[in-house]
Amino acid sequence: MTTTGHKSKNELVQLKLPVDVKNKLDDIFAKDGTTTPQALKMIATQLLTVVFPPLLPFIMNNIVNLLVLNLRQNCVKMN
């Protein structure tokens, strides 16, 4: 709840990233004067509002595949 008693229209999304990836993102986004969380929020919003809806499943599928590949590579490095 907000201090005005109205429910927030936002949801919290937590994402774990490898430290080196987070640091690189911080450096990239800082050059534009934004933070990584702010930039990721903008990217997610643009995906749903700017990208044509027929392309969204394709884009999301590629993102999921990249995340899965990244997770697999990190698991291999840990073993």
Side-chain angles (χ1 to χ4, degrees):
M1 288 277 212
T2 63
T3 56
T4 61
H6 298 290
K7 287 187 177 181
S8 173
K9 293 184 180 184
N10 295 312
E11 288 285 334
L12 175 65
V13 175
Q14 293 181 326
L15 177 67
K16 287 191 175 192
L17 296 171
V19 174
D20 59 328
V21 171
K22 169 73 167 59
N23 291 339
K24 288 177 187 177
L25 290 174
D26 287 344
D27 292 342
I28 291 168
F29 296 132
K31 291 176 184 174
D32 290 325
T34 191
T35 65
T36 298
Q38 291 169 332
L40 293 175
K41 181 180 177 181
M42 288 186 278
I43 292 167
T45 302
Q46 288 176 346
L47 276 173
L48 293 176
T49 58
V50 176
V51 176
F52 297 111
L55 294 178
L56 192 56
F58 173 75
I59 291 169
M60 292 307 294
N61 188 44
N62 283 334
I63 290 172
V64 168
N65 287 338
L66 287 172
L67 288 173
V68 169
L69 178 62
N70 189 326
L71 287 172
R72 285 182 183 156
Q73 289 173 344
N74 286 333
C75 288
V76 169
K77 288 178 187 177
M78 292 170 57
N79 291 329

